[in-house]
């Protein structure tokens, strides 16, 4: 997708008159007509532009491998996904791991555990550990984004598997990257967080382990997940940077690390769309 001055002019005009994303939507519609779908081009599009809500779930399913690139096979594969979902949930019901009143996200967790051969014995069931809590948080967020339970399960499962496979080794480096980019954007804020001891106790697990699930409303979250699903976990760092910058005044007035952690774990939700927009701009700026 080489830069086109005429396209950029049209995009700027559409945005100015209130039709932001018109050109991008047309471009995506053209890509969606390809058969087979070009996964690399869809990834590139998702990296550069926000996905229109009408296409988001379908694009996610293709990028995550839930649906194959060949559109002719989508109906057949969707039926297989439904049958597997029903088989696994029926098996868990028969084993008395789930029942009619089990919350959907817990059902998805048990299905995931069974399919990944991590399901504990019923006599050894314990409260969720950190990894389970991450799954449940992502599951609850996905449940708000996706209506169909079959799609919801497959998206949760494949999103988490892809995240672990692609970025598992990088997660521990994200706090270091956060420190690096925050030093470039606001050295004074970084210095305060260091001096107060709060830098080491920021809610990294909530931010990076859960991809902000439970921290941001779904309307903001899905724009971040567009980038993660299409191949970038670095976006998570810039969202964290913008959260810190957007709440600088509050944070500069706090000297207790626990107070900082509590505030950032339950931060105000009013301006999260603006935070994500700035984070994506900052991500593009540093990705050039």
């Amino acid at each position: 997708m080489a830069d086109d001055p005429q396209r950029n002019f049209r995009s700027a005009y559409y945005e100015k008159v209130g039709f932001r994303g018109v050109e991008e939507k047309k471009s995506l519609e053209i890509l969606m007509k390809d058969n087979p779908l070009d996964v690399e081009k869809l990834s590139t599009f998702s990296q550069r532009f926000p996905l229109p809500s009408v296409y988001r779930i379908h694009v996610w399913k293709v990028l995550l491998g839930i649906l194959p690139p060949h559109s002719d096979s989508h109906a057949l594969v969707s039926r297989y996904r439904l049958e597997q979902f029903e088989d696994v949930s029926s098996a868990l019901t028969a084993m008395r791991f789930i029942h009619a009143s089990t919350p959907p996200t817990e059902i998805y967790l048990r299905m995931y555990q069974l399919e990944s051969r991590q399901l504990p014995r019923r006599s050894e069931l314990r409260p969720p550990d950190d990894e389970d809590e991450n799954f449940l948080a992502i599951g609850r967020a996905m449940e708000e984004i996706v209506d169909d339970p079959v799609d919801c399960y497959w998206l949760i499962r494949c999103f988490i598997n892809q995240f672990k496979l692609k970025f598992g080794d990088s997660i521990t480096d994200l706090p270091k990257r956060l420190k690096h980019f925050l030093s470039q954007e606001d050295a004074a804020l970084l210095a305060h967080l260091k001096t107060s001891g709060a830098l080491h106790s920021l809610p990294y697990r909530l931010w990076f382990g859960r991809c902000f699930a439970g921290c941001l409303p779904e309307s903001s979250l899905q724009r971040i997940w567009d980038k993660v699903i299409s191949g970038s976990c670095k976006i998570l760092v810039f969202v964290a940077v913008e959260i810190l910058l957007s709440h600088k005044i509050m944070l500069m007035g706090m000297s207790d690390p626990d107070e900082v952690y509590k505030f950032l774990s339950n931060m105000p939700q009013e301006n999260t769309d603006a935070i994500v927009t700035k984070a994506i701009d900052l991500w593009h700026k540093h990705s050039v």
Side-chain angles (χ1 to χ4, degrees):
M1 292 188 182
D3 286 339
D4 179 347
Q6 186 176 356
R7 194 208 69 82
N8 291 339
F9 171 80
R10 288 199 303 271
S11 293
Y13 172 76
Y14 281 130
E15 183 171 341
K16 184 176 181 180
V17 296
F19 293 96
R20 183 176 185 176
V22 169
E23 286 283 289
E24 286 72 19
K25 185 179 180 182
K26 289 180 179 178
S27 298
L28 180 59
E29 288 173 346
I30 292 171
L31 290 178
M32 296 297 288
K33 291 177 182 177
D34 289 344
N35 191 14
L37 296 167
D38 191 318
V39 176
E40 185 174 345
K41 285 183 179 179
L42 285 175
S43 295
T44 301
F45 182 95
S46 301
Q47 292 277 297
R48 293 191 61 183
F49 308 111
L51 288 171
S53 57
V54 67
Y55 293 115
R56 173 170 279 119
I57 302 307
H58 191 74
V59 172
W60 282 6
K61 288 162 74 173
V62 172
L63 293 180
L64 290 171
I66 298 167
L67 292 176
H70 290 273
S71 302
D72 297 343
S73 303
H74 285 183
L76 178 63
V77 172
S78 295
R79 189 163 74 246
Y80 289 155
R81 299 298 189 194
L82 170 61
E83 290 173 357
Q84 186 172 341
F85 178 93
E86 291 176 340
D87 287 346
V88 175
S89 58
S90 295
L92 286 167
T93 301
M95 292 187 290
R96 294 184 295 166
F97 272 92
I98 62 174
H99 44 78
S101 60
T102 303
T105 48
E106 186 178 331
I107 293 175
Y108 303 148
L109 174 61
R110 297 305 179 201
M111 291 176 66
Y112 181 78
Q113 290 174 334
L114 178 59
E115 293 200 285
S116 58
R117 300 183 180 181
Q118 298 173 9
L119 186 69
R121 296 176 184 272
R122 288 186 66 248
S123 59
E124 297 174 355
L125 286 177
R126 295 182 177 85
D129 59 17
D130 287 349
E131 190 169 340
D132 292 343
E133 289 289 1
N134 290 347
F135 183 101
L136 291 169
I138 291 171
R140 285 188 289 269
M142 193 71 78
E143 195 177 15
E144 293 297 319
I145 297 170
V146 187
D147 294 328
D148 183 80
V150 178
D151 283 346
C152 189
Y153 169 67
W154 281 103
L155 284 164
I156 298 165
R157 171 188 164 170
C158 294
F159 177 76
I160 289 174
N161 281 344
Q162 184 202 69
F163 191 75
K164 288 180 179 178
L165 182 64
K166 282 191 173 183
F167 310 126
D169 295 336
S170 305
I171 300 304
T172 54
D173 292 331
L174 297 186
K176 188 185 301 182
R177 292 189 180 189
L178 169 60
K179 178 181 173 182
H180 169 73
F181 289 113
L182 185 58
S183 70
Q184 296 185 0
E185 298 300 319
D186 197 319
L189 176 56
L190 176 62
H192 173 73
L193 293 173
K194 282 182 177 178
T195 302
S196 65
L199 187 64
H200 298 295
S201 59
L202 297 179
Y204 294 123
R205 184 169 67 87
L206 304 182
W207 290 351
F208 303 147
R210 300 182 183 180
C211 299
F212 292 95
C215 298
L216 298 174
E218 285 70 31
S219 60
S220 302
L221 194 63
Q222 56 195 1
R223 295 170 59 206
I224 301 169
W225 286 5
D226 286 346
K227 312 309 178 188
V228 177
I229 289 171
S230 58
S232 173
C233 72
K234 196 175 178 183
I235 183 63
L236 302 176
V237 172
F238 292 105
V239 175
V241 168
E242 281 299 335
I243 285 174
L244 295 174
L245 294 176
S246 297
H247 296 101
K248 176 180 177 177
I249 294 176
M250 288 289 296
L251 295 173
M252 292 295 282
M254 299 179 184
S255 57
D256 181 357
D258 291 337
E259 185 183 10
V260 172
Y261 179 88
K262 184 176 181 181
F263 172 75
L264 292 173
S265 299
N266 300 277
M267 64 181 190
Q269 304 285 289
E270 291 82 11
N271 64 338
T272 56
D273 283 343
I275 289 174
V276 171
T277 298
K278 291 177 182 178
I280 292 173
D281 290 342
L282 193 61
W283 171 63
H284 283 305
K285 169 186 166 183
H286 287 283
S287 297
V288 175

